[in-house]
Amino acid sequence: MFSYKLSEVADAMNAKLVGSPDQIIESIWIDSRHIVLAKNGIFFALKGAQIDGHTYIQSAYDKGIRNFVVSEIPKNLGEANFLVVDNPKKALQAWAKHHRQKFDYTVVGITGSNGKTIVKEWLYQLLYDKIKLIRSPKSFNSQIGVPISVLEMMDGISLAIFELGISQPNEMMQISDIVKPNLAVITNIGEAHSEFFEDREQHIQEKIQIAEHAEIIIYPSDDTAFKQAIKNKYPNKKHISFGESSDADIQKLETKEGLNVNFKNKTYQLPFEYKDEASLNNALICFAVLTQLDIDLEDVLDDFKRLMPVEMRLEVLEGSHQIEIINDAFNSDLSSIPIALNVLNHHAKPKKTLILTDILQNRQKGAALYQEVADWVNAYPIQKVVLIGEEITEFKALFKNLYASFKDTASFLNELKASDFAGETILLKGARKFELERISKVFEKKSHDTILEVNLQNLLENLNYFRSKLKPSTKLMAMVKAFGYGAGGFDISQALASQHIDYLGVAYADEGAELRQQGISTPIIVMNPEQNSYTSIIDSSLEPEIYSLRVLRKFTEKLIDKNIATAYPIHIKLNTGMNRLGFKPEDISELVQELADNPYVKVKTIFSHLATSDVPSEHAFVHQQMQKYQEMYERIVSNIGYRPTRHILNSAGILNFPDYQMDMVRVGIGMFGVSMGSEHQKHLKPVVTFKTVISQISTLQAGDTVSYGRNFKANEITKIATLPVGYADGLKRSLGNENGHVSIHGQLAPIIGTVCMDMMMVDISGINCQEGDEVIIFGEKPSLEEVAEQCNTITYEILTSISSRVKRIYLKE
């Protein structure tokens, strides 16, 4: 980042400065959990709908930050400098706008419903070794991410590439006014983030404001409404259109090999390897941008063959010997290193290893580059650092905790094995040429081709949707019972713990104890504490649900046996109509007497569970339960002399009964994007995708039958695919005999015949596919809800039935 004096920052954002004006600022922090190199850093106390950054000023101070942008100065902080503003987010934007005005080199701004990150990264891959350029890291395209990206602009650069994202009206002008792109690129206008716009026309008008300051606009020619809107609003700017239409300035031509493009009556052949329409379109946009830059097109065309897939999410894989692998082996540029290190740092397992290669995509070289890399790496608690590459090993003395260094990946695999990293979390971080995926494949836990893919970013976005329905003071408990609803208890819990969750909820003590062993420190409630688990509960600092006098007495006896001196936290369950577990109204008198005479426990929460929060016809029963709960709660607190936290709402209850959120709510299946009604479903994203591959393709003749019982008989020549997944993997047998479908290349294929233990067959007549192709059992299409309906059951049962032999893969932004 460009270096500033604090007084200069104050002037840029029109802030009141309290403290030292000569303090140097060289880094920005907006999340106290991510702070590692605090020297010359400044913390912005941003305010959101649910979280106020002022709450975390002390945490940032404890980590060494001494400069803060605030709307109010905290008390008793010690020696610190403050920039006082009305709105810290707008102050950040004002600073970035001021900074942008210092530079007059070309700035490319990219927006669109999808493809903007890939276009930005591919442009970087095409140009990094030809000109000096910077680009926004990862998907930093928001009202906060954009100004942080702009503040990375510096002297000595020829090109800056930023992506600009919006989700609501009136956002584009704010960030385009910061970036002021000379060249505006619009990839497309689709359905993504369109729910907040009245119609497509409003969405278009918002997007095209990216061109307000631009001299050149690049846009799709095949979208008639969009093209006309551009011409009407910006008739005097230079227009460059791309697409298949004959009037496109950059026209994609039909070809079986590579990508052919017509520009100014000349055909350019691009050696492009990807064949899917999205990739071809993104490559076409890249070519369009290149035509408007001061470069020789002939010098860059051959580089299209080196374009690599852009992994915008990090894969977290389960390895052998209890290893977890974070795979970021596609990119080794400097700006991506602290992002990946932060992911490793927030992994709960205490033992952490970094495997890092030469840094290939960077304008710096030699000692200066690797000193900066080492500064980042050394700032994190990493037990083992492994270096791969002839260049980085020259500077191995700069790295603390160096474990080994190798000239190439083959040398690593010859000397080290998975057992050398048992129980550790390994971050694979490096350039694609080093093929770190070879390490991942060797270290991975062996399993078959069927996987459950869990998108943790979508999980957290769904969580935040529920959080947006709460008052800022309402606490949040996340249910991770039943192995995280089948998605993986530890990885789900770790992702949730990073979001300031107040409690995690498990069904049994062994689930909670395992989370503790893996490093999860968030308070955990055990919802069904069995009598033989009390020792485990206490030893693992878990907190039991107490649902009867027998359980209260037995747990108290165990506390006495273990000489627990301080009052142990417990949670009282009330039975208000669910009639599973809990104290009934007639039990309250004896309960409060037991509590009054019991110094060994302290009631942390009192709660109940709604039976019909998701059943519209039974909402009257919800109100009855709530009334009963309130009466029982007041009877308890009037006798114990304090008011424990109250909670009764589950996922559906949060959305349907916001007036009953009280002190805390519990979110469970809703985090996984499971339908909560049409009003809310459009805001939720699918989290789990059950995938497999085609093992074999066969052709049946008329009269041939399939599987046990010969329940399917071909009436004509039929092409079928055998898939390596069956009821032992959690697939319901009821999906067979054409009751269910899978998706192959976006087309539905009926499941035919009887589902076997380890295999099933589908009819692929009319679907262009081959052996080894991916098959979606459920995800977006068909959805989890659709599969549950076909099985005549609920989504909970489908998710929790997925066998443990199915490998879980976790995707992180």
Side-chain angles (χ1 to χ4, degrees):
M1 196 190 91
F2 206 88
S3 181
Y4 275 84
K5 286 186 177 181
L6 193 61
S7 59
E8 295 173 323
V9 179
D11 290 341
M13 59 179 63
N14 194 26
K16 176 185 175 183
L17 194 160
V18 179
S20 172
D22 295 327
Q23 171 66 49
I24 300 299
I25 303 298
E26 294 180 328
S27 65
I28 295 171
W29 302 98
I30 59 173
D31 189 326
S32 63
R33 296 166 297 176
H34 298 168
I35 297 170
V36 285
L37 290 174
K39 182 181 178 182
N40 296 337
I42 189 166
F43 179 80
F44 280 76
L46 301 175
K47 287 187 177 182
Q50 299 298 315
I51 296 177
D52 185 349
H54 291 77
T55 306
Y56 305 104
I57 288 176
Q58 183 65 56
S59 175
Y61 185 88
D62 292 342
K63 291 185 176 183
I65 295 293
R66 293 296 180 267
N67 307 292
F68 299 88
V69 179
V70 299
S71 56
E72 53 191 48
I73 297 177
K75 297 178 180 179
N76 304 319
L77 192 61
E79 294 183 3
N81 305 311
F82 298 96
L83 299 183
V84 185
V85 296
D86 291 334
N87 185 320
K89 183 176 79 170
K90 290 188 180 300
L92 174 63
Q93 294 171 342
W95 182 17
K97 186 175 180 180
H98 167 83
H99 185 69
R100 167 67 180 89
Q101 294 170 353
K102 294 175 178 285
F103 308 98
D104 59 3
Y105 47 78
T106 300
V107 174
V108 177
I110 306 172
T111 195
S113 298
N114 45 57
K116 51 186 177 290
T117 301
I118 295 173
V119 169
K120 178 198 68 181
E121 292 296 326
W122 277 359
L123 284 170
Y124 184 81
Q125 291 180 29
L126 290 165
L127 295 170
Y128 78 90
D129 58 352
K130 296 176 176 61
I131 60 176
K132 292 184 177 180
L133 75 158
I134 61 169
R135 90 282 201 205
S136 48
K138 286 287 185 178
S139 297
F140 277 34
N141 59 32
S142 67
Q143 299 286 308
I144 296 170
V146 167
I148 290 175
S149 299
V150 168
L151 282 162
E152 293 293 329
M153 294 179 74
M154 63 184 69
D155 293 325
I157 301 296
S158 302
L159 176 68
I161 309 173
F162 301 119
E163 57 175 297
L164 288 72
I166 60 166
S167 58
Q168 300 189 44
N170 305 316
E171 288 186 340
M172 181 57 79
M173 185 58 75
Q174 293 180 44
I175 52 177
S176 67
D177 202 36
I178 297 170
V179 175
K180 289 186 170 59
N182 316 102
L183 199 163
V185 180
I186 308 174
T187 61
N188 53 55
I189 303 291
E191 294 301 316
H193 306 296
S194 63
E195 63 268 23
F196 293 105
F197 296 92
E198 295 178 2
D199 50 32
R200 189 167 190 269
E201 175 60 27
Q202 186 189 30
H203 198 186
I204 289 172
Q205 291 298 324
E206 181 71 20
K207 283 284 190 184
I208 65 178
Q209 290 184 81
I210 189 176
E212 195 68 26
H213 301 281
E215 300 157 11
I216 305 169
I217 313 172
I218 296 177
Y219 60 91
S221 66
D222 301 333
D223 189 328
T224 305
F226 182 61
K227 179 166 61 176
Q228 193 58 50
I230 292 256
K231 289 182 176 180
N232 291 342
K233 188 171 182 64
Y234 303 114
N236 299 321
K237 296 181 184 287
K238 182 178 180 181
H239 294 199
I240 303 293
S241 61
F242 63 87
E244 297 182 354
S245 59
S246 58
D247 63 342
D249 298 296
I250 312 291
Q251 185 184 15
K252 182 174 72 173
L253 303 177
E254 289 293 330
T255 179
K256 293 183 179 180
E257 297 294 332
L259 174 64
N260 288 353
V261 178
N262 182 24
F263 173 57
K264 291 186 176 180
N265 298 318
K266 180 178 178 179
T267 298
Y268 293 85
Q269 294 182 324
L270 280 60
F272 189 64
E273 296 182 358
Y274 308 106
K275 305 301 180 186
D276 62 284
E277 281 302 313
S279 294
L280 289 169
N281 190 62
N282 291 331
L284 188 69
I285 299 170
C286 289
F287 181 85
V289 174
L290 295 175
T291 66
Q292 303 305 304
L293 301 178
D294 187 21
I295 61 171
D296 187 339
L297 284 176
E298 297 295 340
D299 287 345
V300 74
L301 293 183
D302 196 50
D303 293 326
F304 274 83
K305 70 182 178 185
R306 77 180 186 190
L307 290 178
M308 301 179 296
V310 176
E311 302 291 349
M312 287 165 292
R313 303 166 299 183
L314 300 182
E315 280 190 341
V316 181
L317 309 172
E318 184 180 0
S320 60
H321 299 84
Q322 296 184 315
I323 293 171
E324 290 250 327
I325 303 165
I326 303 173
N327 187 10
D328 195 14
F330 75 96
N331 185 339
S332 71
D333 67 303
L334 185 60
S335 65
S336 68
I337 289 175
I339 296 172
L341 289 174
N342 185 60
V343 173
L344 176 63
N345 187 47
H346 282 86
H347 203 280
K349 285 191 175 182
K351 295 181 180 179
K352 297 177 173 64
T353 290
L354 168 66
I355 299 177
L356 179 66
T357 74
D358 287 351
I359 311 301
L360 299 184
Q361 299 178 9
N362 199 73
R363 57 189 175 273
Q364 296 184 64
K365 295 295 179 187
L369 168 62
Y370 288 103
Q371 183 63 65
E372 187 169 355
V373 173
D375 287 344
W376 276 110
V377 174
N378 294 339
Y380 286 89
I382 298 171
Q383 284 70 44
K384 294 178 183 175
V385 175
V386 179
L387 306 177
I388 298 178
E390 294 183 354
E391 187 176 276
I392 197 169
T393 55
E394 290 182 27
F395 303 97
K396 61 184 180 182
L398 299 174
F399 294 86
K400 291 194 309 184
N401 299 324
L402 180 71
Y403 182 70
S405 61
F406 304 93
K407 65 177 183 179
D408 53 35
T409 302
S411 300
F412 173 98
L413 291 171
N414 284 337
E415 291 197 31
L416 297 178
K417 51 190 182 296
S419 58
D420 294 321
F421 303 93
E424 299 177 13
T425 298
I426 300 174
L427 170 62
L428 297 176
K429 180 63 183 168
R432 187 57 64 92
K433 68 168 279 188
F434 287 94
E435 299 180 324
L436 293 184
E437 63 271 16
R438 292 169 59 193
I439 298 174
S440 178
K441 288 178 181 177
V442 171
F443 283 17
E444 268 186 63
K445 187 176 182 179
K446 300 299 183 283
S447 65
H448 59 127
D449 290 324
T450 300
I451 64 171
L452 190 72
E453 188 179 270
V454 183
N455 190 317
L456 295 177
Q457 184 63 29
N458 283 358
L459 177 94
L460 297 184
E461 290 186 23
N462 292 340
L463 175 76
N464 286 331
Y465 178 71
F466 283 92
R467 196 171 235 159
S468 71
K469 303 300 176 184
L470 306 178
K471 296 175 291 188
S473 60
T474 303
K475 295 179 179 180
L476 190 59
M477 176 176 172
M479 304 303 299
V480 294
K481 58 185 180 179
F483 190 51
Y485 290 85
F490 168 66
D491 291 273
I492 296 294
S493 298
Q494 179 174 248
L496 293 169
S498 72
Q499 301 299 303
H500 303 293
I501 290 290
D502 297 283
Y503 275 100
L504 295 172
V506 299
Y508 297 103
D510 55 354
E511 294 176 308
E514 184 175 350
L515 292 179
R516 286 283 186 256
Q517 291 166 9
Q518 293 179 302
I520 300 296
S521 59
T522 303
I524 299 174
I525 298 178
V526 179
M527 308 302 282
N528 191 12
E530 299 168 298
Q531 184 172 328
N532 62 7
S533 71
Y534 293 164
T535 295
S536 177
I537 288 174
I538 296 167
D539 290 346
S540 300
S541 298
L542 308 176
E543 302 177 16
E545 167 190 308
I546 302 296
Y547 53 84
S548 71
L549 293 169
R550 177 188 65 84
V551 171
L552 177 59
R553 290 164 183 161
K554 288 291 183 181
F555 188 71
T556 300
E557 289 175 7
K558 181 59 66 173
L559 291 171
I560 295 172
D561 288 344
K562 294 182 72 66
N563 294 315
I564 303 300
T566 58
Y568 200 90
I570 63 170
H571 303 263
I572 298 296
K573 174 71 174 289
L574 302 180
N575 181 1
T576 59
M578 189 78 163
N579 290 316
R580 292 189 308 189
L581 296 174
F583 291 94
K584 297 179 180 179
E586 55 267 30
D587 301 324
I588 300 301
S589 296
E590 194 170 358
L591 169 64
V592 295
Q593 185 60 50
E594 289 274 347
L595 292 174
D597 297 335
N598 190 335
Y600 300 99
V601 298
K602 175 70 177 289
V603 180
K604 295 286 287 187
T605 78
I606 299 175
F607 70 103
S608 188
H609 192 69
L610 298 177
T612 61
S613 61
D614 58 346
V615 184
S617 62
E618 291 284 352
H619 280 187
F621 190 70
V622 172
H623 300 302
Q624 292 178 29
Q625 281 193 262
M626 191 62 207
Q627 182 177 355
K628 185 178 289 186
Y629 171 84
Q630 292 282 32
E631 292 171 354
M632 295 169 73
Y633 176 86
E634 292 299 334
R635 284 180 61 194
I636 294 172
V637 300
S638 65
N639 283 276
I640 64 176
Y642 58 94
R643 301 185 69 85
T645 296
R646 303 166 299 157
H647 54 111
I648 196 170
L649 296 185
N650 54 9
S651 295
I654 293 169
L655 301 177
N656 295 328
F657 299 95
D659 290 344
Y660 292 159
Q661 60 186 261
M662 298 187 291
D663 305 312
M664 186 164 74
V665 298
R666 306 184 300 270
V667 62
I669 195 70
M671 295 184 295
F672 293 88
V674 171
S675 179
M676 292 287 137
S678 58
E679 176 189 350
H680 302 286
Q681 188 58 41
K682 62 184 179 181
H683 299 288
L684 299 174
K685 298 181 178 180
V687 170
V688 292
T689 303
F690 197 10
K691 294 180 176 181
T692 190
V693 299
I694 297 174
S695 295
Q696 186 177 44
I697 292 176
S698 307
T699 300
L700 305 181
Q701 303 299 317
D704 286 348
T705 61
V706 173
S707 195
Y708 296 112
R710 305 182 69 206
N711 292 324
F712 176 84
K713 181 180 289 187
N715 296 321
E716 56 187 357
I717 294 176
T718 304
K719 189 166 69 168
I720 69 167
T722 300
L723 312 181
V725 58
Y727 60 77
D729 299 292
L731 195 76
K732 300 297 182 183
R733 293 182 77 247
S734 57
L735 289 170
N737 301 315
E738 300 181 79
N739 292 320
H741 297 78
V742 299
S743 177
I744 303 173
H745 298 320
Q747 294 180 262
L748 291 177
I751 302 170
I752 58 174
T754 302
V755 173
C756 308
M757 179 181 287
D758 308 301
M759 286 176 281
M760 69 176 182
M761 283 61 70
V762 297
D763 185 346
I764 57 172
S765 302
I767 299 178
N768 182 18
C769 57
Q770 56 189 359
E771 292 175 1
D773 282 1
E774 183 180 83
V775 179
I776 304 299
I777 301 167
F778 62 73
E780 286 197 24
K781 177 184 178 182
S783 69
L784 176 60
E785 292 91 336
E786 289 169 337
V787 172
E789 185 176 349
Q790 291 160 2
C791 294
N792 192 31
T793 186
I794 58 176
T795 52
Y796 297 80
E797 183 179 357
I798 299 297
L799 269 182
T800 56
S801 296
I802 305 301
S803 169
S804 60
R805 80 177 187 179
V806 174
K807 180 170 65 177
R808 273 70 171 171
I809 292 180
Y810 301 92
L811 303 179
K812 295 183 178 181
E813 288 290 348

